[in-house]
Amino acid sequence: MIHKDPDVLEAKPAIKQVEFNTIASSFGGLSTKVSQLHSYLHSICAYPPTSPPLITADSLPSNPSIDSLSLGLATAHEAYGPSKSTVELPLCILFIVQDTETNIFDQLALSNTLQATHKIPTFRLPFSRILDHAIIPQLPHRALIYKPPHSPNTPYEVTLCYFRAGYSPSDYTSPTAWSARLHLERSAAIKCPSILTHLAGSKKIQQELATPDSQHLTRFLSSTTFANMIPRIRNTFAAIYPLDDSPAGKTAITLATDPGESANYVLKPQREGGGNNIYGTKIPSFLISLGDDKRRWRGHILMELIKPPTLRNTIFRNGQTQ
C-alpha cells in the first residue's frame, strides 16, 4: 500500500496528525524531482550567498521517494507469482487513472522507474474504460487480462492494480462505474490499496479512533507491544467528532452550530482529493443549507482546527516573487 501521512507542527511545538490517506497518495515522483532541482541549483551557485550559509549540500538531502514507491509495487508484482492463465501470458502492472488525469507526470516518474529499473511493463487505464479493456475470462483463477487499445492482440495478465482513481464520488457516476470497481476487486490481481485499506482511510474511521474518550485505540493496541504508547499516540490526534445522535455527536452539533465555537473547527465530508472542507465561522450557515436531512449531516465529521505558527516567506511564481 502507498500512504501519505500529512501532519502539522503546532506552535507548542507538538505533532498533530491531520489525516491518513490510503489511496491515490501523490507527488512521490514530483518530490524527488524537486529535491534534484534544489541540488542542481545549489551546484551552479544559483542561490544567493548568506552568512552563515543557509543552503548547503548537507541541508539538501536526496529524496528517494520514487525508488521506494516503485520497489513496493515491484515487490507486490513479484509476490503475485507466475501467470495464472491457461496459456501463460506476459505480466504487467495496471495504473487505474482519472479520465482527465492532471497528475500524469508524477505518475510517469513511477511507471518509468518500474520499466527501467525493475523491467515491469506498466499501462494506464482510465477508470471509465475498465470494462472495455480488462476481462476475467476464466474461473477459478480469476486472472485479470488487459488488452492494450493500441495492441489488442497482445494481452497481458495484470499482477497489480494501482489505484490513482476510484476514490471520489465523481468517479462513480453510473452503475457501470460500480460494476467496474467490483470487476477489479473480483480479480486475482493484487490491489493497491485493498478495498479494506481504502475504506480504513475514510474520515469516519479516523473519527472513530480520534473522538475524545474513544476506546477503539485501546482495543487495537492493548494486547500489543505498543500498549504503553497508547496515551502518546492518542495525544497526536486532533479531536474529531461525528455529527449524529451519539453523546459526542450532540456535542459536535452544538459546537458546529455556534458562530463563536465553530471558529475553532473544520467540517470535512467523507471525501478525498482536497478542496471540500468548510472552515470556522462558515460552518453554521453551511449546516443550515443542508436542511433537516440528518443523513447529509452524518456525511461529515467535525475536526479541531490546527493553528500552526505564522511564518513569513516568499513565493516565486511566474518569474516574480510575492
Side-chain angles (χ1 to χ4, degrees):
M1 66 188 71
I2 294 180
H3 293 308
K4 181 172 64 177
D5 188 8
D7 51 36
V8 173
L9 183 64
E10 285 193 308
K12 292 182 182 177
I15 294 294
K16 291 292 184 181
Q17 181 164 289
V18 178
E19 60 185 26
F20 195 54
N21 296 339
T22 57
I23 185 168
S25 298
S26 58
F27 296 155
L30 296 182
S31 63
T32 298
K33 295 295 184 182
V34 169
S35 173
Q36 295 170 353
L37 171 65
H38 284 299
S39 294
Y40 170 75
L41 292 175
H42 178 261
S43 72
I44 62 172
C45 302
Y47 293 113
T50 59
S51 182
L54 296 177
I55 300 176
T56 66
D58 292 336
S59 68
L60 296 172
S62 62
N63 186 328
S65 294
I66 204 63
D67 292 333
S68 299
L69 296 176
S70 62
L71 177 60
L73 296 179
T75 301
H77 174 84
E78 294 298 325
Y80 180 88
S83 172
K84 303 178 186 343
S85 301
T86 303
V87 177
E88 185 172 340
L89 295 175
L91 305 178
C92 74
I93 290 177
L94 200 58
F95 282 42
I96 308 299
V97 299
Q98 304 278 358
D99 284 39
T100 54
E101 183 60 69
T102 59
N103 209 12
I104 183 171
F105 296 106
D106 177 60
Q107 298 165 12
L108 284 177
L110 186 54
S111 59
N112 290 346
T113 303
L114 285 168
Q115 178 72 60
T117 303
H118 301 282
K119 311 304 179 187
I120 301 174
T122 65
F123 297 97
R124 301 170 58 81
L125 179 59
F127 191 83
S128 67
R129 305 302 301 275
I130 290 171
L131 297 178
D132 296 331
H133 301 296
I135 62 173
I136 306 175
Q138 58 188 355
L139 296 174
H141 300 298
R142 299 177 291 111
L144 182 66
I145 309 303
Y146 173 67
K147 296 183 176 182
H150 66 278
S151 183
N153 294 324
T154 310
Y156 287 79
E157 184 171 338
V158 180
T159 62
L160 173 68
C161 293
Y162 173 40
F163 286 97
R164 294 299 292 260
Y167 58 86
S168 170
S170 61
D171 291 323
Y172 299 92
T173 57
S174 68
T176 301
W178 289 103
S179 297
R181 179 64 183 266
L182 178 61
H183 183 68
L184 297 182
E185 296 296 336
R186 289 180 59 247
S187 76
I190 298 170
K191 289 81 181 178
C192 179
S194 69
I195 188 64
L196 292 180
T197 304
H198 178 183
L199 294 175
S202 68
K203 302 292 191 298
K204 181 61 180 177
I205 298 299
Q206 296 168 25
Q207 171 256 302
E208 290 290 342
L209 290 172
T211 298
D213 301 324
S214 170
Q215 296 303 308
H216 291 294
L217 196 63
T218 301
R219 171 191 170 194
F220 289 118
L221 297 182
S222 59
S223 60
T224 72
T225 56
F226 299 103
N228 63 330
M229 298 183 65
I230 291 174
R232 291 180 60 190
I233 295 173
R234 184 174 286 120
N235 285 338
T236 67
F237 293 165
I240 303 178
Y241 302 87
L243 293 180
D244 56 23
D245 294 330
S246 67
K250 292 178 181 178
T251 297
I253 291 173
T254 299
L255 295 171
T257 54
D258 185 297
E261 293 290 347
S262 65
N264 298 312
Y265 293 89
V266 55
L267 191 70
K268 295 184 174 184
Q270 299 291 333
R271 294 182 59 180
E272 297 297 338
N276 304 304
N277 299 339
I278 308 297
Y279 291 89
T281 56
K282 295 181 179 180
I283 295 175
S285 60
F286 174 79
L287 290 175
I288 291 174
S289 72
L290 298 182
D292 296 328
D293 187 347
K294 296 305 179 184
R295 187 181 65 172
R296 297 181 67 187
W297 285 54
R298 290 195 299 270
H300 297 76
I301 56 95
L302 188 72
M303 191 189 87
E304 176 186 9
L305 184 63
I306 296 173
K307 299 178 180 179
T310 301
L311 299 175
R312 295 185 62 83
N313 212 325
T314 300
I315 298 175
F316 184 71
R317 178 183 295 161
N318 297 328
Q320 296 181 338
T321 58
Q322 301 176 359

